[in-house]
Amino acid sequence: MKFIVNGRRPLEGSVDVSGAKNAVLPVMAAAMLTSDEVVLEDAPDLLDVTTMCRVLEAMGGRTVRSGHTLRIRVPAVEDIEAPYDLITKMRASIVIMGPVLRRAGRVRIPPPGGCAIGSRPINWHLKGLEALGARISLDHGYLDARAERLRGARIYLDFPSVGATENIMMAAVCAEGTTVLENAAQEPEIVDLANFLNEMGGKIRGAGTNVVHIEGVRSLHGATHSIIPDRVEAGSFILMAAACGGDVLVRNVIPAHLHPLLAKLEEMGTPFCEKDDGIRVRGNGLFRAVDVKTQVHPGFPTDLQAQMLALLTRARGTSVITETVFENRFMHVDELRRMGADISVAGRCATVRGRESLSAAQVTASDLRAGAALILAALTAEGPSEIRNIYHIDRGYEGIELKLRGLGADIRRESRTETIASGLTERGKNLCLLPR
Ligand code: UD1
């Protein structure tokens, strides 16, 4: 399956951002902590969400989707072994480790392994769970974690890992005593998970800072929760609007989550303004080069690095992009070079010499955000580009081609089962307004 994109059209109109992939996945895992039903509103309809539903179902859960409402109930953990095929397909599923361990006293899960952007170990997840009292061994290719009881502890993370912070919070929420998690990740998705756990009866303070206090409670109950908007999807549309020029209102955003990106847009000279209901970008497709260094929140997000790099291929001047979070996150560079981009990479730095235009080409998405970067590049290139391996893009962008078409872009999915394949129905079209 592929996207065909005919570039060089300004984008006009408004687009609604979906719920955040990186927020909904841990929240879904947290549903394992209670036998009551949890109801998640604004749950995006994404391949990764479907995969997480399959993981929960394989372990005893029931999931029902109706539009963007997802109901989950796990009456009992029927199988403590997480299915190999699903876990290795989606790294984020490692966050079921903490909740299942707490609920069932044991969990067996295959180490998720590396991916295109790096080796991605899980040592800090394991270190945190061990500090809470888990005994973890590797048994026939599965991590086998056991704990009759979990006890609060003081845990220091060597690096503010998002997944480790989530796993530890979910294991500690019902542990005996208090856990103090130092050097915790501060991403908005951590705050969303903490809010959800507190809505379930948890006692978590400090989420969103680098020290999180988790006072253990005896049990959690069901809750209804709205997932925060996806800042990476929002950022991707903002960057696409800046690249193509035009007038785009990106709606359903929390502007504060986008400040690291907006600061760079300002430096580039791209006009934008914050509205009550979103961010309006009014570009003419011209902008200055800027240097960007990815960092943990509130630094510039690594998940927008590829899209930003693609944008800067057409900036006036030379930009240096430094990737500090993942060791191998420049897989998109070779594909962008096929389109005429002038980029050289040395270690964790990419030097991007801006050019006036890119040319259309056949390119392949190596991962989710690299795929979004290729769409951005294709939207600005002369002629038809073909983007392959778009299943990566479907993991994290809900109906991206429908949303972009709503803004006037010429993009189509080449497959006879277009809407089914993206996990989307015709209702996806309502997410966009027609161009003004
Ligand atoms: C999450 C996000 C991902 C984002 C990343 C960084 C989800 C589902 N995914 O991934 O989109 O790019 O945060 O913002 O929320 N590391 C270790 N040992 C560990 C854990 C991590 O060495 O035990 C390393 C990783 O290899 C990586 C860095 O730490 O280099 C950051 O990883 P982490 O913050 O854990 O990212 P994820 O939770 O995997």
Side-chain angles (χ1 to χ4, degrees):
M1 211 172 352
K2 55 195 174 192
F3 282 140
I4 309 292
V5 183
N6 278 292
R8 289 284 178 100
R9 289 167 170 241
L11 300 182
E12 303 276 346
S14 35
V15 58
D16 284 352
V17 170
S18 300
K21 170 181 89 73
N22 288 352
V24 74
L25 296 174
V27 164
M28 290 172 73
M32 277 278 184
L33 287 163
T34 175
S35 56
D36 293 348
E37 181 179 74
V38 305
V39 181
L40 307 182
E41 288 163 353
D42 297 324
D45 196 351
L46 299 169
L47 274 184
D48 272 10
V49 174
T50 306
T51 304
M52 187 58 110
C53 285
R54 297 291 95 80
V55 171
L56 299 183
E57 285 160 5
M59 301 180 87
R62 293 168 200 159
T63 69
V64 180
R65 177 182 280 282
S66 163
H68 284 119
T69 301
L70 184 60
R71 292 171 184 276
I72 304 174
R73 184 153 179 259
V74 190
V77 176
E78 285 165 12
D79 193 343
I80 51 107
E81 190 164 297
Y84 179 89
D85 288 346
L86 297 175
I87 301 295
T88 48
K89 193 157 133 190
M90 186 179 72
R91 277 193 52 84
S93 47
I94 190 70
V95 292
I96 59 149
M97 203 172 172
V100 177
L101 179 65
R102 151 63 204 156
R103 177 93 181 267
R106 187 175 174 196
V107 59
R108 282 173 57 81
I109 184 166
C115 66
I117 62 174
S119 68
R120 304 187 78 173
I122 53 162
N123 52 318
W124 299 321
H125 298 241
L126 305 185
K127 177 184 153 184
L129 296 178
E130 279 172 343
L132 294 171
R135 299 179 309 284
I136 306 176
S137 58
L138 189 64
D139 171 37
H140 293 92
Y142 274 71
L143 288 164
D144 193 334
R146 298 167 193 245
E148 290 72 47
R149 51 210 286 233
L150 293 167
R151 286 199 199 89
R154 180 173 281 270
I155 302 169
Y156 175 85
L157 289 178
D158 296 324
F159 178 89
S161 154
V162 172
T165 300
E166 292 165 346
N167 239 335
I168 294 166
M169 271 172 29
M170 288 189 277
V173 66
C174 293
E176 290 168 24
T178 299
T179 297
V180 180
L181 183 56
E182 294 175 317
N183 201 24
Q186 302 177 51
E187 270 67 3
E189 294 75 22
I190 302 285
V191 179
D192 203 40
L193 175 62
N195 286 343
F196 177 57
L197 291 170
N198 287 343
E199 285 154 12
M200 295 172 85
K203 288 190 177 167
I204 300 178
R205 284 184 294 117
T209 74
N210 62 357
V211 183
V212 182
H213 292 255
I214 307 148
E215 196 184 318
V217 296
R218 289 180 75 85
S219 61
L220 298 180
H221 50 74
T224 297
H225 180 76
S226 291
I227 300 296
I228 55 169
D230 196 311
R231 64 195 166 105
V232 181
E233 187 195 5
S236 302
F237 283 124
I238 289 170
L239 291 171
M240 287 174 194
C244 296
D247 186 353
V248 173
L249 177 62
V250 182
R251 295 195 306 199
N252 189 33
V253 303
I254 299 176
H257 294 173
L258 290 160
H259 281 168
L261 172 71
L262 298 178
K264 285 291 153 190
L265 275 199
E266 198 164 355
E267 226 178 299
M268 291 163 65
T270 296
F272 68 88
C273 59
E274 287 182 25
K275 314 281 275 185
D276 286 347
D277 55 347
I279 307 284
R280 183 173 184 183
V281 185
R282 276 192 284 185
N284 57 5
L286 299 174
F287 38 85
R288 292 188 286 276
V290 288
D291 293 340
V292 176
K293 189 177 193 175
T294 65
Q295 281 168 334
V296 297
H297 193 76
F300 190 92
T302 175
D303 284 350
L304 285 173
Q305 180 259 103
Q307 302 88 314
M308 184 61 146
L309 188 150
L311 175 67
L312 291 172
T313 59
R314 289 184 39 261
R316 283 196 306 267
T318 298
S319 309
V320 176
I321 304 215
T322 309
E323 171 59 55
T324 74
V325 180
F326 289 106
E327 80 257 29
N328 187 26
R329 206 169 195 178
F330 286 127
M331 303 285 282
H332 39 287
V333 164
D334 280 342
E335 301 305 296
L336 290 170
R337 282 198 193 117
R338 273 181 215 278
M339 303 179 77
D342 183 355
I343 311 167
S344 48
V345 175
R348 289 183 172 230
C349 285
T351 303
V352 185
R353 286 165 287 272
R355 326 192 74 145
E356 217 158 87
S357 60
L358 297 179
S359 54
Q362 278 187 353
V363 287
T364 302
S366 55
D367 68 69
L368 166 58
R369 307 304 172 189
L374 295 178
I375 293 182
L376 184 152
L379 287 172
T380 68
E382 185 75 58
S385 293
E386 193 178 296
I387 303 170
R388 296 180 176 219
N389 281 4
I390 61 172
Y391 63 89
H392 285 299
I393 302 171
D394 290 334
R395 287 187 38 222
Y397 291 90
E398 188 179 73
I400 192 165
E401 77 276 30
L402 299 179
K403 292 188 181 186
L404 284 170
R405 278 211 295 270
L407 294 173
D410 182 350
I411 173 170
R412 66 174 201 279
R413 183 182 292 260
E414 199 150 279
S415 150
R416 264 194 276 162
T417 51
E418 178 173 12
T419 50
I420 297 163
S422 69
L424 220 106
T425 61
E426 280 297 296
R427 130 186 91 68
K429 287 184 176 166
N430 298 331
L431 299 170
C432 320
L433 291 183
L434 288 172
R436 283 172 292 174

